[in-house]
Amino acid sequence: MIEPLKVLIVEDEALLAMELESLVEDAGHSVVGWATSLAEAKDMVDTTQADIAFVDIHLTDGPTGIDVAEYIGDRKNSMVIFMTANPKRIPDHFAGAIGVIAKPYTMNGLTSALRYLQEGVRRPPPKSERPAGFTLSPAFETIWAPAA
């Protein structure tokens, strides 16, 4: 059995954050905390240990999810997965994030993405097929994509 993931949630819509927290915990993982702004996210990154961070691009203080991803990337202490309804706003380099889950996501889609991410974080590269609704960044596409 692969060790569960510790997840940080960066989402400014409380209902979405609570739903995501519930889905993450129902899938057997733990949530180390959640933040709604760049400042809160930086504080959480500095005071918690997360394997992955689900980051919304647009937070209460503007489109600062990109800044959160770069902040996490500079510290190299978590992998970032963007969660957004507008993937076109993600820069080409993905700000260091490993991928994106498009909103709205389904419970099954998120559970499959968590299983895939768990494999990728604990025993890279993931062995299972990449779930629908999860897009890898170009950098991780070369690392995690199954060889043909």
Side-chain angles (χ1 to χ4, degrees):
M1 172 129 168
I2 304 175
E3 183 183 342
L5 294 171
K6 292 180 283 202
V7 180
L8 172 63
I9 297 171
V10 182
E11 168 63 67
D12 65 338
E13 292 185 44
L15 288 176
L16 279 176
M18 289 187 292
E19 176 188 53
L20 183 56
E21 181 175 20
S22 177
L23 291 170
V24 166
E25 290 175 347
D26 288 350
H29 305 285
S30 63
V31 173
V32 297
W34 52 285
T36 62
S37 67
L38 177 60
E40 285 180 11
K42 285 182 173 181
D43 185 51
M44 291 297 277
V45 168
D46 292 340
T47 59
T48 62
Q49 290 294 314
D51 299 306
I52 62 171
F54 286 131
V55 178
D56 186 17
I57 289 182
H58 203 282
L59 303 172
T60 54
D61 50 1
T64 56
I66 305 287
D67 299 322
V68 171
E70 290 171 344
Y71 187 81
I72 291 171
D74 288 345
R75 276 139 194 80
K76 296 183 178 23
N77 60 355
S78 301
M79 292 183 164
V80 174
I81 297 89
F82 284 122
M83 300 191 82
T84 183
N86 193 355
K88 291 182 177 84
R89 296 188 55 198
I90 299 171
D92 290 342
H93 69 308
F94 268 67
I98 66 169
V100 60
I101 295 174
K103 289 180 181 175
Y105 49 82
T106 64
M107 188 172 82
N108 284 344
L110 185 67
T111 303
S112 297
L114 279 164
R115 188 170 31 255
Y116 180 79
L117 290 164
Q118 183 181 23
E119 290 176 14
V121 170
R122 299 290 184 225
R123 293 190 207 135
K127 303 287 182 263
S128 26
E129 190 174 315
R130 185 174 339 138
F134 180 72
T135 305
L136 280 172
S137 71
F140 271 81
E141 182 76 43
T142 60
I143 298 169
W144 281 13

